[in-house]
Amino acid sequence: MSNAPQLHNPLPSPARAVYGFVLYALSAVGFGLYLLWAYCPSEWLKAVGIEYYPQKYWALVMPVYFAMLFVFLMALNVGYSLVLTPSLSSMSTVQDRYSRPLAAPYGVNVSVDKPSVTRTRTRSSSLTAAASPTATVIPAIGDIPAYHVSALLFNSRHSSVPGRE
């Protein structure tokens, strides 16, 4: 036997299977009793010996209440999510504790004081570099800092940026 810790297995164990079957059977029986109570006339229920039961009014009202409660809870969940969302001017919409900045994004020379944008590769040289056996096919995963994106998109001083002739 191995001393490795046992991982959680999502497959149903015998105990979970029994609990699931019992819950399924009880819900089917409960739904059947609800349908009998809702559709059988009161005289039939009294003839069988059932005299104490809720009014038939609740057979219609309770499903409607539960449906409206579900709709209300969904709207409440959306509202709560909107309250928890930071404003667009917040820095946490750009960077948070899970951000992984790249060392040097494509086409950007990184310096601590001032980022400068230079296009060091042309289209043909980048295709040649990608076809070489030493080229990195998939770049590292990470977040490009916002100032680099802004410099690439909105810096009009560099005419070599695509779309800015």
Side-chain angles (χ1 to χ4, degrees):
M1 260 198 172
S2 143
N3 290 335
Q6 183 177 2
L7 299 175
H8 174 71
N9 188 356
L11 295 175
S13 66
R16 277 192 268 175
V18 169
Y19 290 146
F21 176 74
V22 168
L23 183 63
Y24 171 75
L26 286 178
S27 64
V29 168
F31 185 66
L33 289 175
Y34 166 77
L35 290 177
L36 284 175
W37 165 65
Y39 289 112
C40 287
S42 299
E43 294 79 25
W44 289 8
L45 294 175
K46 286 183 182 178
V48 175
I50 302 172
E51 296 185 13
Y52 298 104
Y53 51 86
Q55 294 179 356
K56 301 286 184 170
Y57 166 81
W58 293 106
L60 287 174
V61 172
M62 288 311 290
V64 172
Y65 280 171
F66 284 128
M68 290 310 298
L69 178 67
F70 178 75
V71 169
F72 174 73
L73 289 177
M74 293 300 290
L76 190 69
N77 186 21
V78 169
Y80 185 64
S81 297
L82 289 175
V83 167
L84 292 180
T85 303
S87 66
L88 291 177
S89 61
S90 173
M91 188 60 184
S92 63
T93 60
V94 178
Q95 186 176 8
D96 62 359
R97 61 184 172 153
Y98 299 108
S99 297
R100 296 180 359 176
L102 291 175
Y106 171 76
V108 177
N109 293 331
V110 177
S111 67
V112 176
D113 298 329
K114 180 172 82 171
S116 63
V117 177
T118 57
R119 297 283 289 184
T120 56
R121 299 179 187 170
T122 63
R123 178 178 246 170
S124 62
S125 68
S126 64
L127 289 176
T128 307
S132 70
T134 59
T136 303
V137 178
I138 300 175
I141 295 176
D143 300 320
I144 300 174
Y147 56 86
H148 288 301
V149 173
S150 295
L152 282 171
L153 294 177
F154 305 113
N155 196 350
S156 62
R157 290 182 289 142
H158 302 284
S159 62
S160 62
V161 176
R164 304 259 182 168
E165 306 321 322

